[in-house]
Amino acid sequence: MTTNDQVEHEEEVTRRNFLYVASGVVGAVGVTSTVWPLVDQMNPSADVLALASVEVDLSSIPAGQTIKILWRGKPVFIRHRTADEIATAVADNTSDLKDPENDQLRAERPEWLIMVGVCTHLGCVPLDQRGDFNGWFCPCHGSHYDISGRIRKGPAPRNLEVPKYAFLNDTTVSIG
Amino acid sequence: MGSSGYEPKNKAVKWFEDQLPILGLIHGTLGAGYKAPRNLNYWWNFGSLAGFMLVVQIITGIILVMHYTPHVDMAFRAVEHIMRDVNYGWLLRYTHSNGASMFFVIVYIHILRGMYFGSYKSPREVLWFLGLVIYLLMMATGFMGYVLPWGQMSFWGATVITNLFGAFDFYDGMGESILHLLWGGFSVDNPTLQRFFSLHYLLPFVIVGVVILHIWALHLPGSNNPLGIDAKGPGDKIPFHPYYVAKDAFGLSFFIVIFAVFIFYLPNIMGHPDNYIEANPMVTPSHIVPEWYYLPFYTILKAVPDKLLGVVAMFGSILIFFVLPWLDGSKIRSAKFRPTTAFFFWLFLANTIFLGYLGTKLPDEIMINMGGGIDALTLGRISSVFYFAYFIVIVPMVSRFETTKPVPTSIAQAVLDAKKGA
């Protein structure tokens, strides 16, 4: 009788353990799948994501000028670079760069430099044709970018971001 | 929070009290039932003043919401509508915006009081933590509130502060994912404004909850006092009501006069003129400054050349207050009997004010015209180093090695001695 009792007792414990772990797991899955929508609602919504790309006409931008357009709530700089500027940018490929990147990779067509006009430090809009490298200068915390939009001096960690873009023809570019 | 010795005389009140002893709770917390040390000075007024400001902010805030619209196309105009069209709207808004500054002034004095008289030391560490949690909640609430008028400083302040969280970029794209989650988009925009509004409304009530815990934790050991010694016998204590109720009320009326001067004569002195320009994501103001109460921490952020380390240093400069009870190894609480501690406390205060002053300056600005000139960035770095050295080196060393003055045996004795001396 005693052994039988023991066997029954042990069996009960394993079943209880199983139920305990199983309900814990089901509960955890339930809580996670309930909490996820509460967190994910904070991510960009479908209408925000839908405003993905813009087309820009480049024909009216003379050499040596920059225009600013709004894309995804952020400014995008489009600079029509002069031959001198391109030469400087390419020559600086071998300088001491904080975030090394060749100018050829930053500008698909060297005369058109297209990048997001948001300082990689804390998100201010850098000013055109300022700073120690005649590129861009962020007034907020003093980051200097060169004519390829690469960070050269100051607290910003990375070069100005180059968005995805494609030339539809010689005078039209689609950003995004 | 005890219901010590509350016996209602009225039968109806007694019937109610037996079923819900809330009157006894109030009596024991803010009434005659709470026995406080008899020697509290005016620095002990700032707790109740902070409570008053919290109530003012909640009342004016709830009313402002009745006239405000949290949408990027309407928020700026809604605030102008409050200022120009709503009856007494200007008064409510100026009270709320200056009230935030006043709340911070009071809380800073309250924290410094705790530092000087050693109120954070055992057995009040949890009380100190709860106070710091309230302060952190206030920082978040104040920041989100400043975004709501949707002016240039609102927008760019929000941009800079939210971007701080992008520094946690431990794998490729992590920083960006955090930012998209915070913004609800690719930049600070309408979804950001709406969630800030929701949280700005919520957090003050969370603060109320933590304040209740703060008072609960205060009433177990009881208030600290200027001498920093434990109140022992009944001769050391007096009932909160009427003594400290009267003292708090007197201090409050004095404070309200100062508050009124700001509201009626200097309503925009704490603000920034750029915030009367509507937010424009294409143009960054030439000089972004946060509200004054964040300035010392902003200077620490700017002082560090690395983005992630700068953010870590900035948050660390506040979080380090949590370990202060253990950095300070002295057996004596009050700086009254710790002359070296008192000296460095005042130096720390002066340095923190200087950090705040540097926060308003551009990094390249020349501050001292000596030799090549010393710029604000260099001074900010020196000041930041001292800020951390105070916690990491000065407090631990001084508190363990300084020669202290003799401490009185009891509060009653000290009061009697002072009378004899006079």
Side-chain angles (χ1 to χ4, degrees), chain B residues 274-296:
Chain B
D274 274 22
N275 223 28
Y276 283 102
I277 303 169
E278 192 168 3
N280 180 356
M282 299 291 269
V283 180
T284 308
S286 60
H287 189 188
I288 298 180
V289 275
E291 297 99 299
W292 68 266
Y293 35 86
Y294 304 126
L295 284 173

Side-chain angles (χ1 to χ4, degrees), chain B residues 179-396:
Chain B
L179 291 178
H180 290 173
L181 184 77
L182 285 178
W183 291 332
F186 303 105
S187 61
V188 173
D189 210 330
N190 197 49
T192 326
L193 176 62
Q194 289 188 321
R195 64 191 54 180
F196 278 17
F197 174 67
S198 170
L199 294 173
H200 183 72
Y201 206 133
L202 165 73
L203 289 185
F205 297 98
V206 178
I207 294 177
V208 169
V210 185
V211 165
I212 290 172
L213 297 179
H214 190 65
I215 298 173
W216 187 3
L218 168 71
H219 284 64
L220 292 180
S223 300
N224 185 31
N225 64 81
L227 297 173
I229 55 177
D230 293 330
K232 290 164 197 131
D236 287 350
K237 292 182 180 181
I238 48 175
F240 191 81
H241 181 75
Y243 296 103
Y244 288 117
V245 170
K247 190 165 184 162
D248 280 352
F250 178 72
L252 176 65
S253 32
F254 192 78
F255 162 71
I256 288 174
V257 173
I258 296 170
F259 190 13
V261 169
F262 278 98
I263 294 172
F264 294 104
Y265 295 97
L266 305 159
N268 287 306
I269 198 158
M270 311 273 201
H272 196 290
D274 274 22
N275 223 28
Y276 283 102
I277 303 169
E278 192 168 3
N280 180 356
M282 299 291 269
V283 180
T284 308
S286 60
H287 189 188
I288 298 180
V289 275
E291 297 99 299
W292 68 266
Y293 35 86
Y294 304 126
L295 284 173
F297 312 113
Y298 191 58
T299 305
I300 291 173
L301 169 75
K302 288 194 285 187
V304 183
D306 179 87
K307 183 173 169 178
L308 177 62
L309 291 180
V311 172
V312 168
M314 190 190 69
F315 286 119
S317 66
I318 300 167
L319 296 178
I320 201 162
F321 278 87
F322 278 95
V323 288
L324 185 58
W326 294 276
L327 296 174
D328 179 351
S330 174
K331 296 217 163 34
I332 297 170
R333 294 195 190 100
S334 176
K336 266 193 172 177
F337 309 108
R338 302 157 66 188
T340 320
T341 297
F343 170 77
F344 280 109
F345 168 83
W346 292 113
L347 205 59
F348 169 77
L349 177 57
N351 181 66
T352 308
I353 292 170
F354 185 58
L355 275 174
Y357 168 72
L358 290 175
T360 64
K361 301 288 163 195
L362 289 167
D364 298 341
E365 217 165 311
I366 300 296
M367 306 291 297
I368 301 173
N369 263 318
M370 244 171 26
I374 301 173
D375 58 21
L377 181 62
T378 311
L379 289 174
R381 285 179 178 161
I382 297 168
S383 247
S384 302
V385 167
F386 178 80
Y387 182 96
F388 283 104
Y390 176 79
F391 288 100
I392 296 166
V393 182
I394 295 171
V395 166

Side-chain angles (χ1 to χ4, degrees), chain B residues 5-20:
Chain B
Y6 180 66
E7 293 285 341
K9 289 186 181 77
N10 184 301
K11 269 194 178 166
V13 175
K14 191 178 179 328
W15 164 81
F16 179 81
E17 183 69 9
D18 285 343
Q19 302 190 12
L20 182 70

